[in-house]
Amino acid sequence: MDINNKLKTAQQTFETWKNVPFTEKQKLLAEMAKILDLEVENFGKIITTEMNKPITQSIAEIHKCALMIRYYADAENILKPDKIETEFRISQIQYVPKGVILGVMPWNFPFWQALRFAVPAILAGNTVVLKHASICFGTGNAIEDLFLKAGFPEGVFQNLEIGHAEVKEVLENPIVKGVSLTGSEKAGGEVAAIAGKNIKKSLLELGGSDAFIVLDDADFQKAAESGANSRLANCGQACNAAKRFIVQKNIEKEFLPLFIKEYQKYVASDPFNKETNLAGMARPDLADDLEKQYKKALENGAEIILPLKRISENEFIPGLIKVNSGNPILQEELFGPVGMVMIADDDQHAVTLANDIPFGLSDSVWTNDKIRQQFFIDNLEAGTISVNKSSSSDPRLPFGGTKTSGYGTELSLVALKEFVNVRTVVGN
């Protein structure tokens, strides 16, 4: 594959695509959503084959992609020029697409992550080249075919089958005007450094170690069910999964048995069986890394509630550990089926425990008291705060993190302005 030729194609397409009316672009998106729904089973099988996600969850991912695309197909055009009242005859703000944007995307939600980035960027008038995870080249090619089937011009979206070493070359190419990365803090830092050195826009959606806070006036059963699902869906391989369960001290003996019962309902099985709720991790080396982190947590004082047991090269019986503040594992992201339980004395202590980590992605708090809800909304350091529900992304609402969880916004109308130049036009 000639990377330079693909980049030149993307640039040539951009020169005409940027002038296509917003409503015409939306018609193509509506067609894309139809195709996703019609071929949902086939696309779902690609996901499960490549990264082991249970087939029902893979199919749900495709349906969510279609929902998101329809949201943008019907969205208000917030990129129209804004006319500003001044003493000048001409006085307006214009939103001009940047050009060719590189997406560096992960394997854990291979369709969702790539399309979540690409759709608003393309609707804004940019063209996109994708560097997908090495185990998801099939997904990348399927997405490129999807754009073409929907009627988009060749070059609007192209998949690059390249390795990490070639990302630098692509990002440094003068044709590429920006980059969006979803992945680890290490990868984000490296890509942001290259983008910064070359004065290019970057958007980073990185790791998380989200707090799931349960207080004494919560619906315990609902919280237990939601917490277990949030930790173990996709085998715990989600940046915004609940990872630290902060439980108020006076309900520990009542809540934990309910939570453990729900947690143990997740049993690793064949990912192509529609009854399966837990499958293996995406790669054996990721399972190796998780075991090392689990042992590190125990070596630094964590107590076993449910032992993490490896039953194949990439499958586990999910683990649950009780962790005290100060354990170095709290400075890392556990990307797999291990949950951490922490005990809080009161509301302020719960906030302190929740915030005392490098990450700030998406926290959840469970309480029926509106005053307590507002206290947590005002004091938690996260890009999203969910009340009496687990964290999840919604096409209608902005998604992004703070601290080492990244910067920039995906989803909602806000995402349409991530890869545009804001231009002032003024005069008589």
Side-chain angles (χ1 to χ4, degrees), residues 143-412:
I143 295 173
E144 181 174 339
D145 290 343
L146 174 64
F147 273 93
L148 294 173
K149 277 186 181 179
F152 285 86
E154 185 178 351
V156 164
F157 180 101
Q158 296 178 89
N159 182 48
L160 306 178
E161 292 190 8
I162 60 175
H164 289 295
E166 294 161 293
V167 169
K168 184 175 184 289
E169 174 191 344
V170 174
L171 188 48
E172 288 180 337
N173 190 301
I175 288 176
V176 174
K177 298 301 190 292
V179 60
S180 177
L181 177 141
T182 297
S184 68
E185 303 88 78
K186 182 177 183 292
E190 291 172 351
V191 166
I194 299 167
K197 184 178 180 181
N198 289 274
I199 322 297
K200 296 182 181 184
K201 171 69 181 288
S202 60
L203 186 158
L204 304 180
E205 198 271 274
L206 308 178
S209 187
D210 295 348
F212 189 99
I213 302 165
V214 185
L215 304 178
D216 56 10
D217 63 340
D219 182 329
F220 295 167
Q221 184 58 43
K222 188 176 179 182
E225 293 172 5
S226 182
N229 181 68
S230 181
R231 173 68 290 214
L232 297 175
N234 199 25
C235 200
Q237 300 167 122
C239 56
N240 64 334
K243 297 188 175 88
R244 295 174 301 132
F245 296 88
I246 299 173
V247 180
Q248 193 170 349
K249 187 175 183 178
N250 62 340
I251 63 167
E252 178 182 359
K253 291 182 180 179
E254 185 176 357
F255 175 74
L256 280 188
L258 295 174
F259 182 47
I260 290 167
K261 183 179 179 182
E262 294 301 323
Y263 208 82
Q264 290 178 313
K265 290 179 180 179
Y266 290 79
V267 179
S269 189
D270 176 8
F272 282 99
N273 185 333
K274 290 194 174 183
E275 301 301 314
T276 294
N277 61 9
L278 181 74
M281 295 184 67
R283 302 193 309 260
D285 63 299
L286 299 171
D288 294 341
D289 291 342
L290 186 70
E291 278 193 315
K292 291 174 185 175
Q293 289 179 296
Y294 176 69
K295 290 174 183 176
K296 178 179 179 178
L298 297 181
E299 289 167 358
N300 285 276
E303 300 174 19
I304 296 174
I305 299 173
L306 294 172
L308 179 72
K309 294 182 180 179
R310 194 165 181 174
I311 54 177
S312 75
E313 67 173 9
N314 66 341
E315 291 177 318
F316 288 99
I317 297 173
L320 196 61
I321 53 178
K322 191 173 183 179
V323 178
N324 291 324
S325 181
N327 193 313
I329 202 64
L330 292 168
Q331 305 304 305
E332 302 177 14
E333 179 179 27
L334 289 172
F335 213 65
V338 179
M340 295 177 283
V341 174
M342 306 182 77
I343 305 302
D345 296 332
D346 52 32
D347 292 9
Q348 181 57 59
H349 189 208
V351 165
T352 300
L353 292 175
N355 291 341
D356 191 25
I357 59 167
F359 307 99
L361 189 56
S362 186
D363 291 341
S364 175
V365 60
W366 293 73
T367 171
N368 289 312
D369 186 307
K370 291 183 179 179
I371 294 175
R372 297 176 92 181
Q373 290 175 2
Q374 193 60 50
F375 171 77
F376 282 91
I377 291 168
D378 291 341
N379 289 284
L380 288 172
E381 298 170 354
T384 298
I385 298 165
S386 300
V387 179
N388 293 329
K389 66 181 292 295
S390 59
S391 296
S392 61
S393 53
D394 183 318
R396 301 166 296 180
L397 299 171
F399 184 81
T402 186
K403 301 196 286 189
T404 61
S405 290
Y407 51 75
T409 299
E410 295 186 299
L411 301 177
S412 80

Side-chain angles (χ1 to χ4, degrees), residues 14 18-19 79 81 93-99 124-126 416-425:
F14 168 69
K18 66 182 180 181
N19 297 317
L79 301 178
I93 302 167
Q94 297 179 347
Y95 302 98
V96 183
K98 285 184 174 293
N126 301 289
L416 289 171
K417 292 184 177 179
E418 276 293 333
F419 290 103
V420 298
N421 295 316
V422 181
R423 181 167 68 185
T424 295
V425 180

